[in-house]
Structure formats: structure tokens, C-alpha cells
Amino acid sequence: MYAKTIWIAAGFFALALLTAAMIIPRGGDAWTDREIEMLRSLSIKSLPPLPPDPSNRYGDDPRAAALGHQLFFDTRLSANGKVSCATCHDPGRDFQDGLPLAVGVGTNTRRTMPIAGTAYSPWMFWDGRKDSQWSQALGPLESPVEHGGSRLQYAHLIAAHYRSAYEELFGPLPDLTGLPEQGGPVADAGQRAAWEALAPEQQEAVNRVFANIGKAIAAYERRLQFGESRFDRYVEQISGRQTSGNADLTKDEVAGLRLFIGKAQCINCHNGPLFTDNHFHNTGVAARPELGEDTGRAAGARQVLADAFNCLGRYSDASPPDCAELTFMVTEGEELVRAYKPPTLRNATLRPPYMHAGQLATLEEVLDHYNRAPAAPAGHSELRPLKLSRKELAQLAAFLNTLETPITAPTGFLEAPAELVTTR
Amino acid sequence: MNTTRFRSRKSKWVLAAILLLSVGAFGACSTVREHVRTYKQLKAYAKEVGDERDLSPQRMSENGLYRATILPQTDPVPLNKLHTWTLHVETPDSTTVDVATIAVDGGMPEHGHGLPTKPRVTQALGGGDFLVEGMKFQMPGWWVVEFAISSPRGTDTVTFNLML
């Protein structure tokens, strides 16, 4: 009799399991149509083809990219001959350095940002003080704590070592004979004086070489893009499409994803296939007063408007209608104070420490920060406490692992060039 | 005898375990049902709130001076992308307003922040139409966009709601 009862109970159990399996496909991740639509908006498959950068007519020229690749890794573009772009933007580390503050010829006041996918962003740097990749590349070259050199030094370097590659692309180099070795509107008083002593047309000619260096570097950088992560394959799978490679998410990862697009509100700022809105947000990140005042976007907005190398400037190849982001940007207001750009969350797990000055050492600290939503040291934080449990925070952290994404680039671009060009 | 009793006791435990597991499995199902119900409730809520907020592209201005219609030139309104709108302005008696000074503002009431850009009316297109450039929305959710319209008929504000 007991045996019969057990069989009946076992039947019920099997039926229950079957029902559960039908209702809960793939370990409990039942998504509504609306949610699947939201997840697809985050998939790398939703990223449109990279549009041209109207401000850089050389951006899609492979010769410019090859020259940019050389320049990116060339330590001669520095005051001490030891710092290249790749010093901080290490291709072996997701094009960043893993340090709280970047270290070039000195120590910066900001954390190095990753590069892949930034060709899609209208704003560069944490504060958006540059509006294109080519213009961004020029900033560190003359920063006294990064490359520490000057535009005249770099123009001489191009003339000495990259003349043919440069001239093939950009036309004849100006005659630099007799011009000082160093000079630019930089921090060093002597170099600044040398620059100011040049005639306006000489400055203009050197500026153009300097801008073209940036355009070549940007042509290289815009080819650094993201491949497919486990998350992207998962989205394909739940959309009923074929995928190759691991597309499975664990229960915790799925729970974390659900929190990401729901209760945790991460998607508010980390939206789109690059998991960033490329806008600026005050999230109450602690100040580091020892680094000096940092007003974030408030200063960045002023700087980009005044920048000679912006989209509307004379070194840009764009026509004014192409510069709508700059034309219609918000230039002032409380919302800009200590607002910073959210970096992509792709590979965020590989990039501790976090925030614009490396304030938070681990991803757990970052999640805890968003959960607590502390008041901003200046301006107003957009955050509100999330009241997530420890378990939920761990699930969010688990989900972020699924965003580890390989960087794709033309052959050889993810490493230093085999040999630097050293001849004319 | 003892053995039989032992078997019976063992069977009871097995039975209890199976029943417990069954309850667990059904429980898992009801969690999902709960989720679905919550989603339905959310949809109903969104509809209700949407009605309250009036997502209509045509609205009367606060003091009834103007009837305005928005026509985003990208449909649906995109996230994170600059785009343009056409704003059509007329009086309640359907006379088009061709000359007006129009200021644009807006933001996310629930997040307490404004628009990410400073859109402007850049051109009067004629026939009551005005070109609005520099529109952008960087977050999903409820947005409001306000137009402060000044013409010889007076100054009035019209507010539109959007759900992205």
C-alpha cells in the first residue's frame, strides 16, 4: 500500500518538475517580451556600424591607422623618451593600467580610461573636455604629468622619423628649420615663451601637424572594438537565435541581470550595447582633496568649448552641422558639478580600481557605494539608496562577469608594432 | 515484525521527502506566476499613469493660448541619440502661429535632472511649424519636454510627456 502511495507521490513530483521545467526555461530565467527587448538593446549585436567621424577625414584610412599604431606605441613622444600612449593604455590590460591614478612622466589626478568602443562616444575623458578621439589624443601629449612634451617637439619627431608616412597622408610637412626643439602652450614657462615667440603662421603650421598626429592615433583607436561576451550570446539564445560558444548564465548571473535592468537601476546610466550613456552623472563619489579641486563636467564643458581642437575649430574637418553635440551641449548648471562619464561596463571586472580617481578598490565597494548612495561632496548625487541585500549585490557582481568581452582589432593592432619606423 | 515496521517508517520518510520536493517544485512555479502577475500589474500601472500623464503628441498650453503638436523626426524617439523634432503651434481656433519665440526645457521628474542637451528652435518652417534641434534623451523612463511660446498673442507654456 505504501509502495502504491509512493508511486502516486512520485508521479505528482514528476508532474511538478515537468511543469516547472516548462515554465522556467534555462534555470529560472523567464523573461517577458519587454525585458527581452531591453536585453537586446544591451547586446553588442545592437551596436550600429561605426559611423565616420566627420571631424577626422583620415579616420577610416588604413594608412592613418597604421601610422597611428606606430605613434601609439612610440615612447619618443614624451619628455623623457619613456612614455607612450600604451604606457597607460596597455593593450594587455584592456587598454588601461590598473592604477588609481595614471602615471606618465608624473602622476595624474585621474584614472586612465579604457579605449575600446570610445569611437562611439561624443565626449572623451571623465569630464568630456574633448569631443573626438583625435582631439583627446593631443591632451596627454602636452600634459606635464603624462607625456610631458610639446607640439614643436612632436612636429620635429614626425619630420625626423615619420616624414614619408605622414606626407603620403597629410601632404608636405612645414619647414621646421630653425624652430626651437620645444615649444607649445604648455605648463613649462620656457617652452611657452618659445611658442609665443613664433609667428602666427608658424604656430598654425605646427598646430596642423599636431592635429594630424591626433587624427592618425584616432584612426588606430577607432578600430579597437568589442567582440562578443557570454552575455551577448545569452541574449541571442533567449531570442531564439543560433549562437556559437558558451551562452549559459548561472542562476545568480541571471538574477543579477534582472536586478541590473530593474531594481538596481544600473541601466539608467549603463545603457546601450556599450553599457554607457556617455553622458555625465554626479553619483556622490568621494573627493580626493589632495589632488586639488575637481568639478568634473562643470570644468570639462568650459574646456571643450574653448578648445582649439574641438569639432568647430579650424583643425576639424567637420562642417558646423556635424558638430551638433557641441552646439547643443549643456554648458552650465548645478547638474554638471562633479558629474563624470560612466565608462563601459564591458570588462569592468578586469579594471579595478574604480571611479575617476581610483577611489574604490573593488567592484564590491562600487556596488556597496551605489547601494548606500552617499551624499555628494559637491553638487547633488543622482543616486537614491537601493536597499539591495548582500545576496543581491553578489548577484549583480556575478552578472558583471558575463560582460567580459574580447577586444577586436585588425591583425597586429593589439600589440606593439613589430618595429618602430625610424627612417625618413 | 521489527523489520516491517522499520520499512514502514522508512517509507513514510520517503513519502514525506517526495511530498516536500513536490511542494518545492510547485513553489518555484508559483514564483514565476508571481513574476508574471507583477509584470501584468506593472503594465496596468504604466497604462494608468500613462493616461494621467497624457502621452499625447498634441497638447493645449497651460492657459489655453496655444495648441501644440510635436513630431519627432525619428520614430520611435531614440535613446542616446541627437535628433530633431518639428513643433507645430496654432491657436485654439486652428490659426497657425508662424512667428514666435520658443524656449525649450525639460527633464526627468522622477530623477530630478534636466535634459542632457540644450535643444533650441533653430528655424521657423512656416505653416506654424518650427524646427527643434538638439533633442536627446539618455535614460529610459518618463521625460517631460516644455516649450515656452511667446507670440503677439501672449506667452504660455505647453508640456509634453514621453515614456522611453
Side-chain angles (χ1 to χ4, degrees):
Chain A
M1 184 187 165
Y2 278 122
K4 195 176 172 189
T5 316
I6 287 171
W7 277 113
I8 292 169
F12 268 116
F13 178 55
L15 192 67
L17 274 184
L18 194 67
T19 316
M22 281 165 63
I23 297 183
I24 321 171
R26 292 174 296 279
D29 37 334
W31 299 104
T32 63
D33 289 348
R34 166 85 184 115
E35 287 168 336
I36 289 178
E37 189 188 325
M38 211 183 267
L39 298 184
R40 285 174 66 172
S41 76
L42 296 169
S43 166
I44 202 74
K45 296 269 188 196
S46 299
L47 193 66
L50 183 61
D53 172 4
S55 72
N56 180 6
R57 72 163 73 109
Y58 309 97
D60 293 317
D61 188 323
R63 296 170 303 168
L67 175 60
H69 182 211
Q70 294 272 337
L71 295 172
F72 190 88
F73 286 90
D74 193 338
T75 55
R76 292 172 298 191
L77 277 95
S78 65
N80 61 6
K82 292 178 181 168
V83 178
S84 73
C85 305
T87 302
C88 296
H89 299 286
D90 178 355
R93 308 186 69 152
D94 199 36
F95 285 87
Q96 54 89 50
D97 53 14
L99 299 171
L101 299 173
V103 178
V105 297
T107 302
N108 204 335
T109 54
R110 293 266 176 82
R111 165 115 177 67
T112 300
M113 298 192 88
I115 295 178
T118 56
Y120 285 90
S121 176
W123 308 111
M124 304 294 150
F125 289 122
W126 290 97
D127 52 15
R129 66 183 182 275
K130 291 286 191 173
D131 64 347
S132 67
Q133 281 184 318
W134 68 268
S135 177
Q136 184 281 330
L138 305 179
L141 288 172
E142 285 195 328
S143 157
V145 292
E146 297 180 59
H147 296 246
S150 66
R151 58 192 71 179
L152 246 178
Q153 175 196 343
Y154 303 133
H156 283 300
L157 180 90
I158 294 291
H161 300 294
Y162 293 99
R163 181 179 288 274
S164 60
Y166 178 96
E167 292 190 334
E168 193 188 327
L169 266 169
F170 303 111
L173 272 163
D175 182 10
L176 302 170
T177 315
L179 297 190
E181 278 306 305
Q182 295 282 353
V186 293
D188 182 274
Q191 293 182 20
R192 211 168 53 243
W195 177 250
E196 283 161 7
L198 297 187
E201 59 275 15
Q202 289 175 311
Q203 290 186 347
E204 155 79 18
V206 173
N207 282 345
R208 199 156 288 283
V209 178
F210 191 43
N212 288 338
I213 290 173
K215 289 177 183 178
I217 293 173
Y220 164 70
E221 290 180 336
R222 65 189 262 113
R223 285 161 171 79
L224 306 175
Q225 295 296 341
F226 285 112
E228 261 184 20
S229 69
R230 195 152 51 88
F231 163 75
D232 300 309
R233 291 191 290 271
Y234 173 78
V235 174
E236 288 299 288
Q237 183 179 271
I238 60 171
S239 307
R241 296 173 181 165
Q242 287 288 326
T243 56
S244 56
N246 186 2
D248 292 331
L249 263 57
T250 66
K251 258 175 85 172
D252 277 347
E253 288 165 349
V254 171
L257 174 54
R258 202 178 287 288
L259 289 164
F260 187 93
I261 63 168
K263 186 178 170 188
Q265 300 170 40
C266 313
I267 198 170
N268 282 353
C269 301
H270 293 286
N271 54 41
L274 297 174
F275 286 83
T276 170
D277 64 358
N278 287 314
H279 192 59
F280 305 93
H281 304 275
N282 182 332
T283 56
V285 175
R288 289 188 61 177
E290 75 278 16
L291 302 176
E293 192 189 23
D294 189 337
T295 60
R297 180 59 174 165
R302 285 195 299 272
Q303 286 172 281
V304 72
L305 272 183
D307 184 18
F309 299 103
N310 70 20
C311 186
L312 291 166
R314 65 195 309 168
Y315 306 101
S316 161
D317 301 317
S319 57
D322 295 324
C323 303
E325 288 281 359
L326 192 64
T327 307
F328 297 103
M329 68 179 266
V330 176
T331 53
E332 53 193 18
E334 183 76 1
E335 282 173 41
L336 306 188
V337 177
R338 288 191 67 79
Y340 301 90
K341 193 175 82 165
T344 178
L345 290 186
R346 291 185 180 274
N347 293 336
T349 48
L350 309 175
R351 295 197 310 260
Y354 299 97
M355 306 305 180
H356 62 273
Q359 286 94 331
L360 301 173
T362 64
L363 212 48
E364 284 66 33
E365 285 181 31
V366 174
L367 293 169
D368 180 61
H369 172 87
Y370 287 120
N371 200 29
R372 285 185 296 110
H380 295 287
S381 172
E382 292 178 23
L383 304 183
R384 300 287 175 274
L386 295 168
K387 298 179 181 155
L388 299 174
S389 68
R390 289 279 129 208
K391 187 180 173 191
E392 287 173 319
L393 291 172
Q395 288 169 332
L396 271 174
F399 162 64
L400 292 173
N401 285 315
T402 72
L403 298 178
E404 288 181 10
T405 316
I407 294 174
T408 62
T411 309
F413 273 20
L414 297 180
E415 56 210 46
E419 141 182 22
L420 282 175
V421 174
T422 53
T423 57
R424 297 169 81 127
Chain B
M1 185 81 176
N2 283 344
T3 317
T4 313
R5 197 178 296 148
F6 174 76
R7 271 194 198 137
S8 311
R9 216 175 284 147
K10 194 180 168 189
S11 304
K12 275 181 190 165
W13 279 113
V14 172
L15 188 63
I18 289 175
L19 285 173
L20 203 66
L21 283 169
S22 302
V23 168
F26 277 119
C29 298
S30 37
T31 309
V32 175
R33 279 202 303 273
E34 179 69 23
H35 171 70
V36 172
R37 194 165 65 233
T38 307
Y39 177 66
K40 277 185 185 158
Q41 285 168 343
L42 277 176
K43 273 207 320 198
Y45 171 76
K47 196 176 171 194
E48 178 191 327
V49 171
D51 288 347
E52 273 175 18
R53 284 178 191 158
D54 190 353
L55 300 174
S56 160
Q58 186 174 79
R59 307 274 329 251
M60 287 303 293
S61 59
E62 262 169 44
N63 298 316
L65 291 185
Y66 304 106
R67 181 167 54 230
T69 311
I70 48 167
L71 183 67
Q73 292 186 358
T74 309
D75 184 37
V77 171
L79 192 64
N80 255 323
K81 196 168 186 261
L82 272 179
H83 62 288
T84 55
W85 284 13
T86 302
L87 175 73
H88 179 78
V89 185
E90 57 187 29
T91 58
D93 62 1
S94 302
T95 308
T96 57
V97 175
D98 294 333
V99 180
T101 305
I102 302 172
V104 192
D105 202 354
M108 293 191 92
E110 290 163 326
H111 294 264
H113 63 71
L115 296 172
T117 53
K118 219 163 50 180
R120 287 196 303 271
V121 169
T122 54
Q123 210 179 329
L125 301 169
D129 287 349
F130 296 86
L131 186 67
V132 188
E133 289 189 87
M135 295 302 303
K136 191 174 183 180
F137 306 96
Q138 87 279 23
M139 281 187 189
W142 172 35
W143 289 86
V144 297
V145 178
E146 292 177 353
F147 296 94
I149 305 168
S150 288
S151 85
R153 289 176 177 267
T155 298
D156 207 353
T157 302
V158 58
T159 305
F160 294 92
N161 294 295
L162 283 97
M163 287 296 291
L164 260 75

